Amino acid sequence: MAAVAEDPLVLTRRLNLNDGSEVVFRPLVHADAERLAGLLEELSAESRRLSPFDGYDLGAARKLCDAIARYDKLRLVLEDVSSGRIVGLVEFSLDLHPAGIARYREAGIHLEATDCRFGLSLADDYQGRGVGTRIFPLVVDVAQRFGRKRIILFGGVLADNPRAIRYYEKHGFRLVGSFTGRDGARSFDMILDLRPLPGR
């Protein structure tokens, strides 16, 4: 984590999107606070419901930036090349939550130190444009660079979010169980195994 914070270029990539626009996939840096706040503030009520944060203002953005290299979280952003606007946030947690460990154990899966949690949030106008599919190989690359062999979802995926469920299934995640959150909403736990299948 510290090495990435010192040299963000090690995880920086430039991508061409399907519509011809370009984005940069790179680690979050301290100077991003105001532009990250722009992303959080612009999220619609539905996007906030599907991808909740502790806050959606400059204070919340500053907390995310202040956490760089301090905890188990690795955050990367998608930056639109033409405008410099931050249009997406990718979050990894290299630590596992006890509640998640317990849920997966009930489903017959024993989570290990080589597993990580992942979440993706996109600006409303970047949703449904194939952006998530374009960046997913980079998500896998980051996980593998940190020695992770499986990826699970941050807090699962809401059962009434079929687009996200299709996205995860398309990229190899499998559903392992469901649970009801404190707010009464039903979610699914999903896992992706990055290890090659036997014989390949």
Side-chain angles (χ1 to χ4, degrees):
M1 298 282 237
V4 171
E6 289 176 12
D7 184 13
L9 289 177
V10 298
L11 293 182
T12 298
R13 302 289 183 272
R14 195 172 177 120
L15 288 175
N16 292 308
L17 301 182
N18 296 337
D19 62 3
S21 61
E22 290 183 300
V23 294
V24 172
F25 176 88
R26 61 167 177 79
L28 179 71
V29 297
H30 292 284
D32 286 329
E34 290 192 6
R35 288 187 297 163
L36 180 59
L39 168 67
L40 297 176
E41 290 167 356
E42 291 173 3
L43 291 175
S44 66
E46 179 64 3
S47 290
R48 293 181 184 193
R49 184 183 75 85
L50 298 176
S51 187
F53 290 93
D54 290 338
Y56 301 90
D57 57 13
L58 181 57
R62 283 179 173 153
K63 284 183 180 178
L64 293 176
C65 291
D66 288 343
I68 293 171
R70 290 180 57 193
Y71 305 107
D72 68 303
K73 304 290 190 300
L74 173 65
R75 295 182 172 96
L76 302 104
V77 296
L78 287 175
E79 179 184 338
D80 177 74
V81 170
S82 63
S83 66
R85 176 180 162 223
I86 289 179
V87 297
L89 179 64
V90 178
E91 298 188 278
F92 286 93
S93 176
L94 304 182
D95 199 6
L96 300 172
H97 194 279
I101 293 172
R103 288 199 314 268
Y104 277 82
R105 187 181 296 120
E106 288 177 10
I109 296 173
H110 294 273
L111 297 179
E112 302 169 352
T114 52
D115 299 328
C116 66
R117 295 181 289 162
F118 155 76
L120 169 65
S121 302
L122 292 174
D124 286 69
D125 57 329
Y126 272 72
Q127 296 173 21
R129 293 171 53 181
V131 179
T133 294
R134 293 286 292 134
I135 69 167
F136 199 75
L138 303 180
V139 168
V140 170
D141 178 63
V142 170
Q144 291 177 326
R145 281 173 179 261
F146 281 86
R148 269 38 192 185
K149 296 178 181 177
R150 296 185 297 188
I151 301 174
I152 65 173
L153 303 180
F154 260 117
V157 57
L158 286 168
D160 64 354
N161 189 359
R163 185 166 69 176
I165 294 168
R166 286 194 301 270
Y167 168 75
Y168 293 123
E169 289 177 336
K170 173 182 176 180
H171 292 290
F173 282 83
R174 65 183 178 91
L175 192 151
V176 298
S178 66
F179 65 96
T180 301
R182 285 179 290 183
D183 59 357
R186 184 166 173 253
S187 295
F188 295 131
D189 277 321
M190 302 182 78
I191 191 168
L192 171 65
D193 198 327
L194 302 177
R195 296 168 294 192
L197 294 172
R200 288 192 181 181

